[in-house]
Amino acid sequence: MDRFYLHPLWAYAFRPFFLLAAGYAIAIIPIWLFVLFDGVDPLPWASPGLWHAHEMIYGFMVAALAGFILTALPSWTATAPLCGRGLVLLVGLWLAGRGAMIFAAVLPIELVAVVNLAFLPVLCAIVTRAMMAARMRRHAGFVWAIGGLFLAQVVFFAGGFLPGGFFGDAGWGETGLRSALLLMMVLIVLSTTRIAMVVVNFALEQDGCDPTFRPAPPRRNLANFVVLLYLAVDGTFPGHAVGGWIALAAAAAQLDVLSDFHVGRVLRRPYVLGLYLGHGWIAVGFAGIGISAIWGMGLGTDFLHGLGIGAAGSAILTVMGIAGLRHSGRELRFPVALYGALVLINLSAVLRVGGSYIDFIPYDLMIGGASALWILAFVLYLVVFVPKLLSVRTDGQPG
């Protein structure tokens, strides 16, 4: 049994969690299409669409988050990485949550809720303990955001126990998942800020330029503040025009963040372009949400997919590519297949967000096409990274 824990898969958190994130991004879509088109009801207390949203956020996105933060944590805090038996147990918690949600229709709601709510507090405790040991406050935003994700998940499951809406017409489940998606945008900004400091300057050096990329913290802080302000206002008064104007401000703040990237020709590098596109999709998503709230154009749901597919998909795929290469001892050079995966993710987002407004594209074809592009993108990721993540580092270093 000890040999099992010594396998390279359990040497660092990015290995199992990146594989699980990509694998679940692929596996959950056919299940969702079956639920959508065959009228299956996977949650007795919520709509099928909320089940889908929960699994994309707390399944796919949270797995990628865990892989990133647990891999970055030792560098930030000079503490030992989570590996071996402890990592196996944490992965087991995530897997238990996924199994409970897939069979939620036949399991007691209490069991489904407890199993799913177990993962984030444990992750938060691991991160908090390491930061406290290092007496570090610089990255405390991750702790607060993870705590917020947990509270949003509590609100989601409250829909199974408590009747009526929550802060207006939105149900408990919808309120919780909208909040979770917005908090995930905050986490994307926090994560890409730290990664961009490394990869943009690396790209500048590769181009023979001085590494002059210094992202302005006030821009990131403002962008996240406006997102959190929108979360508070929209949670209290869903769909109100005031929230719409704040959403437009959030879009403008993200465009301001993008101006940091306009140094040299670094956007030719896919590992920089992917981070850039992630911020761009956050701007597009909030712009659509804001216009919908102000002028009542019914764009809100479609542009939430812009955040989930375009922003989260682009950012997560890029981060998993960067960390997967660097932490396996390999050169930061995206293979052609990974470049193609990034293109496919963005085509999927364009089709899902824009397809609803093109009359000659049937709804079924739009959903099926966007899903196929999404699946193919993560298949390409796994083709490239399964051998890398299951083998020892090429430079002989631990991890």
Side-chain angles (χ1 to χ4, degrees):
M1 182 61 71
D2 288 342
R3 292 181 60 187
F4 172 78
Y5 295 120
L6 294 175
H7 190 279
L9 179 64
W10 309 114
Y12 239 89
F14 74 94
R15 294 175 178 271
F17 278 114
F18 285 179
L19 289 175
L20 287 170
Y24 201 62
I26 295 168
I28 198 63
I29 297 302
I31 299 174
W32 164 237
L33 293 178
F34 173 74
V35 167
L36 179 64
F37 292 119
D38 282 38
V40 178
D41 192 359
L43 288 180
W45 72 89
S47 69
L50 292 184
W51 175 87
H52 167 59
H54 181 276
E55 289 309 281
M56 294 306 294
I57 296 170
Y58 290 99
F60 162 64
M61 295 183 198
V62 163
L65 168 66
F68 165 73
I69 194 167
L70 292 176
T71 300
L73 200 60
S75 300
W76 294 345
T77 62
T79 54
L82 182 71
C83 59
R85 190 185 302 270
L87 182 54
V88 171
L89 292 175
L90 188 63
V91 167
L93 273 181
W94 181 89
L95 289 170
R98 309 290 59 74
M101 286 300 290
I102 288 175
F103 296 103
V106 296
L107 293 174
I109 180 177
E110 296 84 359
L111 176 62
V112 176
V114 168
V115 171
N116 273 274
L117 291 171
F119 182 82
L120 284 174
V122 174
L123 176 64
C124 194
I126 294 170
V127 175
T128 301
R129 183 177 62 181
M131 290 188 180
M132 290 180 66
R135 297 181 179 180
M136 177 173 291
R137 297 181 180 180
R138 179 184 174 190
H139 305 291
F142 284 95
V143 174
W144 292 109
I146 293 171
L149 279 177
F150 171 70
L151 292 178
Q153 194 176 27
V154 170
V155 172
F156 168 76
F157 280 108
F161 298 96
L162 300 173
F166 179 62
F167 289 146
D169 295 330
W172 290 86
E174 181 183 348
T175 300
L177 293 179
R178 283 176 68 93
S179 300
L181 182 59
L182 296 176
L183 285 167
M184 196 58 70
M185 297 303 106
V186 171
L187 282 162
I188 286 173
V189 174
L190 290 173
S191 303
T192 55
T193 298
R194 287 148 177 82
I195 296 170
M197 280 288 294
V198 176
V199 300
V200 174
N201 282 314
F202 175 78
L204 287 170
E205 290 180 344
Q206 293 293 100
D207 288 340
C209 303
D210 291 332
T212 57
F213 179 72
R214 297 290 184 273
R219 283 179 168 150
R220 265 72 178 175
N221 295 338
L222 176 62
N224 280 335
F225 171 77
V226 181
V227 171
L228 293 173
L229 180 61
Y230 172 75
L231 188 159
V233 172
D234 186 67
T236 308
F237 306 104
H240 196 281
V242 172
W245 287 110
I246 296 173
L248 290 181
Q254 290 296 327
L255 293 175
D256 185 46
V257 169
L258 288 181
S259 65
D260 277 336
F261 285 85
H262 299 157
V263 289
R265 297 174 292 175
V266 296
L267 291 179
R268 296 178 304 162
R269 311 278 179 173
Y271 49 82
V272 178
L273 179 61
L275 302 178
Y276 186 89
L277 290 172
H279 286 285
W281 274 108
I282 297 177
V284 169
F286 275 109
I289 292 169
I291 292 170
S292 178
I294 295 168
W295 287 287
M297 298 178 65
L299 305 175
T301 300
D302 293 312
F303 279 91
L304 284 174
H305 282 87
L307 298 178
I309 300 174
S314 296
I316 287 173
L317 187 66
T318 305
V319 170
M320 292 199 306
I322 293 169
L325 290 172
R326 287 179 58 87
H327 288 279
S328 64
R330 291 172 170 84
E331 181 183 1
L332 184 55
R333 185 186 298 274
F334 271 27
V336 174
L338 201 54
Y339 208 154
L342 190 59
V343 172
L344 291 171
I345 281 289
N346 282 273
L347 289 176
S348 175
V350 169
L351 182 57
R352 179 60 187 86
V353 173
S356 299
Y357 311 102
I358 302 176
D359 293 337
F360 63 82
I361 300 181
Y363 177 80
D364 293 0
L365 181 60
M366 180 266 289
I367 294 293
S371 298
L373 292 168
W374 171 274
I375 290 172
L376 184 55
F378 285 98
V379 166
L380 289 177
Y381 174 85
L382 289 179
V383 167
V384 173
F385 277 95
V386 165
K388 295 177 173 57
L389 299 180
L390 294 181
S391 59
V392 297
R393 286 180 60 130
T394 57
D395 57 6
Q397 298 295 317

